[in-house]
Amino acid sequence: MSATSDPVHRSELVAIAAERRWAIVVGAILALLVAMMVVTGVHWAAMPPSRVETVDVKTLHVAGEFVESNLGTAVGADGKVTVRLVAQQYSFQPQCIVVPADMPVTFRATSTDAIHGLVIGTTNANTMLVPGFVSTFTTSFHQIGEVLMPCHEYCGVGHEAMWAHVQVLPQSEFLAKSRGVERLSCVAR
Ligand code: CUA
């Protein structure tokens, strides 16, 4: 063993040890990524997002939540406000929706034919309406008055003419109007 070969041999051993450490780190990162993919994949497959709700387009009009008599604004026994509406080429039902100001309002809506959408004035109320699925969101309105609710998803030749009105009433006025009424709307009868 010569005096010069010894330090070279030692640095070689140091390099091998360092490479082994890095190989372990890289292997651990790869294992973690694969484990994350497997866990999230299995999780989503086993538990789809709770917001995905389906509805049968063929029986929408005859039974269930979206029959004509159930559309409009409802105040539940717990005081919660729910608006149910249906979009179709080329209108919304009801055509005029009443909501209270400064109260949480939950929308539940679907489409019977094409993909539609809705946006209420300049508020954050904005969703797509897809046949077979129930779109739902909760929001509050802070500005009293009437705003337009156009369809914002191209749905055919009548798309530009597809909109509804939304009336935001002061809370007291809304509650007075809804008293004894099962489904409220501002459609002229
Ligand atoms: Cu409905 Cu565009």
Side-chain angles (χ1 to χ4, degrees):
M1 197 186 273
S2 74
T4 49
S5 76
D6 206 26
V8 170
H9 180 66
R10 213 179 299 137
S11 65
E12 215 177 89
L13 287 179
V14 169
I16 288 170
E19 271 176 9
R20 188 166 299 146
R21 271 200 304 278
W22 280 111
I24 290 168
V25 169
V26 170
I29 291 172
L30 280 177
L32 180 70
L33 291 177
V34 170
M36 273 164 62
M37 280 161 61
V38 170
V39 168
T40 50
V42 169
H43 173 81
W44 284 95
M47 263 188 3
S50 59
R51 296 293 292 275
V52 173
E53 261 184 78
T54 55
V55 65
D56 189 350
V57 174
K58 287 188 226 92
T59 57
L60 201 71
H61 289 106
V62 286
E65 184 180 353
F66 293 99
V67 292
E68 196 178 343
S69 60
N70 200 38
L71 300 179
T73 310
V75 183
D78 51 3
K80 286 194 175 139
V81 180
T82 306
V83 175
R84 291 184 181 83
L85 61 103
V86 167
Q88 68 238 320
Q89 287 165 323
Y90 297 98
S91 64
F92 290 101
Q93 211 182 358
Q95 276 288 301
C96 189
I97 293 157
V98 186
V99 294
D102 303 314
M103 264 174 93
V105 178
T106 299
F107 281 77
R108 292 180 57 77
T110 189
S111 163
T112 60
D113 39 39
I115 295 176
H116 299 277
L118 67 84
V119 59
I120 302 179
T122 54
T123 69
N124 68 348
N126 185 335
T127 189
M128 280 177 73
L129 303 166
V130 182
F133 294 89
V134 180
S135 300
T136 171
F137 61 90
T138 301
T139 189
S140 300
F141 300 91
H142 303 295
Q143 212 166 341
I144 287 159
E146 187 165 319
V147 284
L148 279 182
M149 186 184 91
C151 173
H152 66 37
E153 202 62 53
Y154 183 77
C155 50
V157 287
H159 165 70
E160 289 100 290
M162 180 170 174
W163 67 74
H165 298 266
V166 176
Q167 276 184 5
V168 184
L169 300 181
Q171 230 182 80
S172 54
E173 193 182 332
F174 172 84
L175 293 173
K177 268 199 174 177
S178 66
R179 206 158 292 139
V181 180
E182 273 191 40
R183 299 290 174 266
L184 197 63
S185 84
C186 44
V187 174
R189 284 172 209 277

